[in-house]
PDB file of all heavy atoms in Angstrom:
ATOM      1  N   GLN A   1       8.468  89.746-155.443  1.00 98.00           N
ATOM      2  CA  GLN A   1       8.979  88.726-154.546  1.00 98.00           C
ATOM      3  C   GLN A   1       9.782  87.696-155.326  1.00 98.00           C
ATOM      4  O   GLN A   1       9.597  87.517-156.534  1.00 98.00           O
ATOM      5  CB  GLN A   1       7.835  88.036-153.808  1.00 98.00           C
ATOM      6  CG  GLN A   1       7.081  88.935-152.847  1.00 98.00           C
ATOM      7  CD  GLN A   1       6.009  88.197-152.079  1.00 98.00           C
ATOM      8  OE1 GLN A   1       5.497  87.174-152.534  1.00 98.00           O
ATOM      9  NE2 GLN A   1       5.673  88.700-150.910  1.00 98.00           N
ATOM     10  N   ALA A   2      10.688  87.033-154.632  1.00 98.00           N
ATOM     11  CA  ALA A   2      11.461  85.973-155.261  1.00 98.00           C
ATOM     12  C   ALA A   2      10.532  84.955-155.909  1.00 98.00           C
ATOM     13  O   ALA A   2       9.520  84.563-155.333  1.00 98.00           O
ATOM     14  CB  ALA A   2      12.361  85.296-154.233  1.00 98.00           C
ATOM     15  N   GLY A   3      10.900  84.543-157.113  1.00 98.00           N
ATOM     16  CA  GLY A   3      10.072  83.617-157.869  1.00 98.00           C
ATOM     17  C   GLY A   3       9.095  84.296-158.805  1.00 98.00           C
ATOM     18  O   GLY A   3       8.485  83.629-159.652  1.00 98.00           O
ATOM     19  N   GLY A   4       8.947  85.598-158.673  1.00 98.00           N
ATOM     20  CA  GLY A   4       8.018  86.339-159.498  1.00 98.00           C
ATOM     21  C   GLY A   4       8.607  86.714-160.847  1.00 98.00           C
ATOM     22  O   GLY A   4       9.728  86.335-161.189  1.00 98.00           O
ATOM     23  N   SER A   5       7.832  87.487-161.610  1.00 98.00           N
ATOM     24  CA  SER A   5       8.218  87.857-162.966  1.00 98.00           C
ATOM     25  C   SER A   5       8.014  89.341-163.215  1.00 98.00           C
ATOM     26  O   SER A   5       7.162  89.989-162.597  1.00 98.00           O
ATOM     27  CB  SER A   5       7.389  87.076-163.997  1.00 98.00           C
ATOM     28  OG  SER A   5       7.582  85.683-163.882  1.00 98.00           O
ATOM     29  N   LEU A   6       8.803  89.873-164.128  1.00 98.00           N
ATOM     30  CA  LEU A   6       8.663  91.235-164.616  1.00 98.00           C
ATOM     31  C   LEU A   6       9.014  91.250-166.090  1.00 98.00           C
ATOM     32  O   LEU A   6       9.816  90.429-166.550  1.00 98.00           O
ATOM     33  CB  LEU A   6       9.589  92.203-163.887  1.00 98.00           C
ATOM     34  CG  LEU A   6       9.218  92.693-162.490  1.00 98.00           C
ATOM     35  CD1 LEU A   6      10.365  93.542-161.939  1.00 98.00           C
ATOM     36  CD2 LEU A   6       7.936  93.498-162.518  1.00 98.00           C
ATOM     37  N   ARG A   7       8.433  92.185-166.829  1.00 98.00           N
ATOM     38  CA  ARG A   7       8.812  92.402-168.209  1.00 98.00           C
ATOM     39  C   ARG A   7       9.252  93.842-168.386  1.00 98.00           C
ATOM     40  O   ARG A   7       8.479  94.772-168.150  1.00 98.00           O
ATOM     41  CB  ARG A   7       7.662  92.101-169.177  1.00 98.00           C
ATOM     42  CG  ARG A   7       8.120  92.122-170.643  1.00 98.00           C
ATOM     43  CD  ARG A   7       6.994  91.911-171.621  1.00 98.00           C
ATOM     44  NE  ARG A   7       6.149  93.097-171.737  1.00 98.00           N
ATOM     45  CZ  ARG A   7       5.287  93.308-172.730  1.00 98.00           C
ATOM     46  NH1 ARG A   7       5.147  92.409-173.688  1.00 98.00           N
ATOM     47  NH2 ARG A   7       4.545  94.404-172.742  1.00 98.00           N
ATOM     48  N   LEU A   8      10.491  94.021-168.805  1.00 98.00           N
ATOM     49  CA  LEU A   8      11.027  95.339-169.079  1.00 98.00           C
ATOM     50  C   LEU A   8      10.862  95.671-170.557  1.00 98.00           C
ATOM     51  O   LEU A   8      10.952  94.793-171.410  1.00 98.00           O
ATOM     52  CB  LEU A   8      12.511  95.410-168.713  1.00 98.00           C
ATOM     53  CG  LEU A   8      12.897  94.980-167.290  1.00 98.00           C
ATOM     54  CD1 LEU A   8      14.392  95.188-167.085  1.00 98.00           C
ATOM     55  CD2 LEU A   8      12.087  95.742-166.254  1.00 98.00           C
ATOM     56  N   SER A   9      10.638  96.942-170.839  1.00 98.00           N
ATOM     57  CA  SER A   9      10.528  97.417-172.207  1.00 98.00           C
ATOM     58  C   SER A   9      11.494  98.562-172.428  1.00 98.00           C
ATOM     59  O   SER A   9      11.801  99.315-171.506  1.00 98.00           O
ATOM     60  CB  SER A   9       9.101  97.895-172.512  1.00 98.00           C
ATOM     61  OG  SER A   9       8.163  96.861-172.354  1.00 98.00           O
ATOM     62  N   CYS A  10      11.959  98.697-173.647  1.00 98.00           N
ATOM     63  CA  CYS A  10      12.849  99.790-174.017  1.00 98.00           C
ATOM     64  C   CYS A  10      12.474 100.266-175.405  1.00 98.00           C
ATOM     65  O   CYS A  10      12.514  99.486-176.364  1.00 98.00           O
ATOM     66  CB  CYS A  10      14.309  99.332-173.984  1.00 98.00           C
ATOM     67  SG  CYS A  10      15.484 100.543-174.633  1.00 98.00           S
ATOM     68  N   VAL A  11      12.116 101.533-175.513  1.00 97.00           N
ATOM     69  CA  VAL A  11      11.742 102.128-176.788  1.00 97.00           C
ATOM     70  C   VAL A  11      12.877 103.004-177.287  1.00 97.00           C
ATOM     71  O   VAL A  11      13.358 103.882-176.559  1.00 97.00           O
ATOM     72  CB  VAL A  11      10.452 102.953-176.667  1.00 97.00           C
ATOM     73  CG1 VAL A  11      10.094 103.568-178.013  1.00 97.00           C
ATOM     74  CG2 VAL A  11       9.313 102.086-176.165  1.00 97.00           C
ATOM     75  N   ALA A  12      13.312 102.769-178.510  1.00 96.00           N
ATOM     76  CA  ALA A  12      14.391 103.531-179.115  1.00 96.00           C
ATOM     77  C   ALA A  12      13.836 104.546-180.106  1.00 96.00           C
ATOM     78  O   ALA A  12      12.852 104.288-180.802  1.00 96.00           O
ATOM     79  CB  ALA A  12      15.372 102.602-179.823  1.00 96.00           C
ATOM     80  N   SER A  13      14.492 105.698-180.174  1.00 96.00           N
ATOM     81  CA  SER A  13      14.121 106.718-181.136  1.00 96.00           C
ATOM     82  C   SER A  13      15.374 107.451-181.591  1.00 96.00           C
ATOM     83  O   SER A  13      16.417 107.366-180.954  1.00 96.00           O
ATOM     84  CB  SER A  13      13.106 107.705-180.546  1.00 96.00           C
ATOM     85  OG  SER A  13      13.652 108.393-179.433  1.00 96.00           O
ATOM     86  N   GLY A  14      15.268 108.164-182.705  1.00 95.00           N
ATOM     87  CA  GLY A  14      16.398 108.897-183.237  1.00 95.00           C
ATOM     88  C   GLY A  14      16.972 108.235-184.471  1.00 95.00           C
ATOM     89  O   GLY A  14      16.239 107.676-185.280  1.00 95.00           O
ATOM     90  N   SER A  15      18.286 108.302-184.613  1.00 93.00           N
ATOM     91  CA  SER A  15      18.977 107.769-185.783  1.00 93.00           C
ATOM     92  C   SER A  15      19.245 106.281-185.599  1.00 93.00           C
ATOM     93  O   SER A  15      20.370 105.860-185.319  1.00 93.00           O
ATOM     94  CB  SER A  15      20.273 108.541-186.019  1.00 93.00           C
ATOM     95  OG  SER A  15      20.026 109.923-186.216  1.00 93.00           O
ATOM     96  N   ILE A  16      18.208 105.506-185.790  1.00 90.00           N
ATOM     97  CA  ILE A  16      18.267 104.071-185.515  1.00 90.00           C
ATOM     98  C   ILE A  16      18.575 103.292-186.783  1.00 90.00           C
ATOM     99  O   ILE A  16      17.947 103.497-187.817  1.00 90.00           O
ATOM    100  CB  ILE A  16      16.937 103.588-184.920  1.00 90.00           C
ATOM    101  CG1 ILE A  16      16.600 104.363-183.653  1.00 90.00           C
ATOM    102  CG2 ILE A  16      16.998 102.092-184.632  1.00 90.00           C
ATOM    103  CD1 ILE A  16      15.167 104.177-183.204  1.00 90.00           C
ATOM    104  N   SER A  17      19.525 102.383-186.680  1.00 88.00           N
ATOM    105  CA  SER A  17      19.822 101.454-187.758  1.00 88.00           C
ATOM    106  C   SER A  17      19.036 100.172-187.544  1.00 88.00           C
ATOM    107  O   SER A  17      19.034  99.613-186.446  1.00 88.00           O
ATOM    108  CB  SER A  17      21.312 101.136-187.810  1.00 88.00           C
ATOM    109  OG  SER A  17      21.566 100.067-188.705  1.00 88.00           O
ATOM    110  N   SER A  18      18.390  99.697-188.587  1.00 82.00           N
ATOM    111  CA  SER A  18      17.628  98.462-188.489  1.00 82.00           C
ATOM    112  C   SER A  18      18.520  97.244-188.307  1.00 82.00           C
ATOM    113  O   SER A  18      18.022  96.168-187.960  1.00 82.00           O
ATOM    114  CB  SER A  18      16.746  98.283-189.718  1.00 82.00           C
ATOM    115  OG  SER A  18      17.522  98.209-190.900  1.00 82.00           O
ATOM    116  N   PHE A  19      19.821  97.410-188.512  1.00 88.00           N
ATOM    117  CA  PHE A  19      20.761  96.303-188.378  1.00 88.00           C
ATOM    118  C   PHE A  19      21.439  96.252-187.017  1.00 88.00           C
ATOM    119  O   PHE A  19      22.216  95.334-186.753  1.00 88.00           O
ATOM    120  CB  PHE A  19      21.830  96.375-189.468  1.00 88.00           C
ATOM    121  CG  PHE A  19      21.289  96.214-190.851  1.00 88.00           C
ATOM    122  CD1 PHE A  19      21.046  97.317-191.649  1.00 88.00           C
ATOM    123  CD2 PHE A  19      21.015  94.957-191.356  1.00 88.00           C
ATOM    124  CE1 PHE A  19      20.539  97.167-192.931  1.00 88.00           C
ATOM    125  CE2 PHE A  19      20.511  94.790-192.632  1.00 88.00           C
ATOM    126  CZ  PHE A  19      20.268  95.906-193.424  1.00 88.00           C
ATOM    127  N   ALA A  20      21.166  97.212-186.156  1.00 94.00           N
ATOM    128  CA  ALA A  20      21.838  97.279-184.870  1.00 94.00           C
ATOM    129  C   ALA A  20      21.308  96.243-183.896  1.00 94.00           C
ATOM    130  O   ALA A  20      20.104  95.982-183.831  1.00 94.00           O
ATOM    131  CB  ALA A  20      21.683  98.672-184.267  1.00 94.00           C
ATOM    132  N   SER A  21      22.224  95.669-183.126  1.00 96.00           N
ATOM    133  CA  SER A  21      21.824  94.824-182.013  1.00 96.00           C
ATOM    134  C   SER A  21      21.340  95.699-180.861  1.00 96.00           C
ATOM    135  O   SER A  21      21.670  96.883-180.774  1.00 96.00           O
ATOM    136  CB  SER A  21      23.004  93.968-181.542  1.00 96.00           C
ATOM    137  OG  SER A  21      23.414  93.066-182.551  1.00 96.00           O
ATOM    138  N   MET A  22      20.565  95.112-179.964  1.00 96.00           N
ATOM    139  CA  MET A  22      20.139  95.801-178.761  1.00 96.00           C
ATOM    140  C   MET A  22      20.305  94.846-177.591  1.00 96.00           C
ATOM    141  O   MET A  22      20.203  93.630-177.752  1.00 96.00           O
ATOM    142  CB  MET A  22      18.701  96.291-178.866  1.00 96.00           C
ATOM    143  CG  MET A  22      18.496  97.326-179.955  1.00 96.00           C
ATOM    144  SD  MET A  22      16.828  98.026-179.976  1.00 96.00           S
ATOM    145  CE  MET A  22      16.889  99.038-178.479  1.00 96.00           C
ATOM    146  N   GLY A  23      20.570  95.410-176.422  1.00 97.00           N
ATOM    147  CA  GLY A  23      20.833  94.557-175.287  1.00 97.00           C
ATOM    148  C   GLY A  23      20.368  95.131-173.975  1.00 97.00           C
ATOM    149  O   GLY A  23      19.866  96.251-173.898  1.00 97.00           O
ATOM    150  N   TRP A  24      20.523  94.320-172.943  1.00 98.00           N
ATOM    151  CA  TRP A  24      20.222  94.707-171.581  1.00 98.00           C
ATOM    152  C   TRP A  24      21.439  94.461-170.709  1.00 98.00           C
ATOM    153  O   TRP A  24      22.105  93.422-170.831  1.00 98.00           O
ATOM    154  CB  TRP A  24      19.038  93.915-171.016  1.00 98.00           C
ATOM    155  CG  TRP A  24      17.715  94.292-171.609  1.00 98.00           C
ATOM    156  CD1 TRP A  24      17.078  93.693-172.645  1.00 98.00           C
ATOM    157  CD2 TRP A  24      16.871  95.358-171.179  1.00 98.00           C
ATOM    158  NE1 TRP A  24      15.883  94.313-172.903  1.00 98.00           N
ATOM    159  CE2 TRP A  24      15.730  95.351-172.010  1.00 98.00           C
ATOM    160  CE3 TRP A  24      16.960  96.321-170.178  1.00 98.00           C
ATOM    161  CZ2 TRP A  24      14.688  96.264-171.863  1.00 98.00           C
ATOM    162  CZ3 TRP A  24      15.928  97.233-170.033  1.00 98.00           C
ATOM    163  CH2 TRP A  24      14.806  97.199-170.871  1.00 98.00           C
ATOM    164  N   TYR A  25      21.724  95.412-169.842  1.00 98.00           N
ATOM    165  CA  TYR A  25      22.774  95.318-168.847  1.00 98.00           C
ATOM    166  C   TYR A  25      22.175  95.666-167.491  1.00 98.00           C
ATOM    167  O   TYR A  25      21.098  96.248-167.413  1.00 98.00           O
ATOM    168  CB  TYR A  25      23.919  96.279-169.172  1.00 98.00           C
ATOM    169  CG  TYR A  25      24.722  95.897-170.391  1.00 98.00           C
ATOM    170  CD1 TYR A  25      24.182  95.998-171.669  1.00 98.00           C
ATOM    171  CD2 TYR A  25      26.032  95.438-170.269  1.00 98.00           C
ATOM    172  CE1 TYR A  25      24.913  95.643-172.786  1.00 98.00           C
ATOM    173  CE2 TYR A  25      26.777  95.088-171.390  1.00 98.00           C
ATOM    174  CZ  TYR A  25      26.212  95.195-172.641  1.00 98.00           C
ATOM    175  OH  TYR A  25      26.946  94.847-173.746  1.00 98.00           O
ATOM    176  N   ARG A  26      22.877  95.323-166.429  1.00 98.00           N
ATOM    177  CA  ARG A  26      22.391  95.674-165.101  1.00 98.00           C
ATOM    178  C   ARG A  26      23.554  96.040-164.196  1.00 98.00           C
ATOM    179  O   ARG A  26      24.682  95.614-164.403  1.00 98.00           O
ATOM    180  CB  ARG A  26      21.577  94.529-164.482  1.00 98.00           C
ATOM    181  CG  ARG A  26      22.377  93.276-164.176  1.00 98.00           C
ATOM    182  CD  ARG A  26      21.453  92.156-163.731  1.00 98.00           C
ATOM    183  NE  ARG A  26      22.179  90.947-163.370  1.00 98.00           N
ATOM    184  CZ  ARG A  26      21.611  89.792-163.057  1.00 98.00           C
ATOM    185  NH1 ARG A  26      20.280  89.681-163.057  1.00 98.00           N
ATOM    186  NH2 ARG A  26      22.353  88.745-162.743  1.00 98.00           N
ATOM    187  N   GLN A  27      23.245  96.826-163.175  1.00 98.00           N
ATOM    188  CA  GLN A  27      24.248  97.248-162.217  1.00 98.00           C
ATOM    189  C   GLN A  27      23.650  97.260-160.823  1.00 98.00           C
ATOM    190  O   GLN A  27      22.687  97.974-160.558  1.00 98.00           O
ATOM    191  CB  GLN A  27      24.794  98.633-162.569  1.00 98.00           C
ATOM    192  CG  GLN A  27      25.962  99.066-161.709  1.00 98.00           C
ATOM    193  CD  GLN A  27      26.672 100.281-162.271  1.00 98.00           C
ATOM    194  OE1 GLN A  27      26.109 101.025-163.067  1.00 98.00           O
ATOM    195  NE2 GLN A  27      27.906 100.472-161.873  1.00 98.00           N
ATOM    196  N   ALA A  28      24.219  96.454-159.944  1.00 97.00           N
ATOM    197  CA  ALA A  28      23.803  96.399-158.556  1.00 97.00           C
ATOM    198  C   ALA A  28      24.718  97.288-157.718  1.00 97.00           C
ATOM    199  O   ALA A  28      25.857  97.557-158.108  1.00 97.00           O
ATOM    200  CB  ALA A  28      23.854  94.962-158.046  1.00 97.00           C
ATOM    201  N   PRO A  29      24.245  97.741-156.557  1.00 92.00           N
ATOM    202  CA  PRO A  29      25.092  98.571-155.690  1.00 92.00           C
ATOM    203  C   PRO A  29      26.406  97.873-155.357  1.00 92.00           C
ATOM    204  O   PRO A  29      26.415  96.700-154.986  1.00 92.00           O
ATOM    205  CB  PRO A  29      24.235  98.763-154.439  1.00 92.00           C
ATOM    206  CG  PRO A  29      22.835  98.627-154.924  1.00 92.00           C
ATOM    207  CD  PRO A  29      22.896  97.566-155.989  1.00 92.00           C
ATOM    208  N   GLY A  30      27.501  98.597-155.504  1.00 94.00           N
ATOM    209  CA  GLY A  30      28.807  98.045-155.195  1.00 94.00           C
ATOM    210  C   GLY A  30      29.392  97.158-156.272  1.00 94.00           C
ATOM    211  O   GLY A  30      30.478  96.613-156.084  1.00 94.00           O
ATOM    212  N   LYS A  31      28.690  96.999-157.391  1.00 97.00           N
ATOM    213  CA  LYS A  31      29.177  96.167-158.474  1.00 97.00           C
ATOM    214  C   LYS A  31      29.265  96.969-159.764  1.00 97.00           C
ATOM    215  O   LYS A  31      28.616  98.002-159.916  1.00 97.00           O
ATOM    216  CB  LYS A  31      28.255  94.964-158.694  1.00 97.00           C
ATOM    217  CG  LYS A  31      28.181  93.989-157.530  1.00 97.00           C
ATOM    218  CD  LYS A  31      27.309  92.802-157.882  1.00 97.00           C
ATOM    219  CE  LYS A  31      27.258  91.785-156.762  1.00 97.00           C
ATOM    220  NZ  LYS A  31      26.406  90.622-157.127  1.00 97.00           N
TER     221      LYS A  31
END
């Protein structure tokens, strides 16, 4: 509900560089 909270997690694996940045993006319908 509006006003609430969530925590998203993302686990990376493979050829990972310890110097790489990581980010979050989002996409809504029609955008």
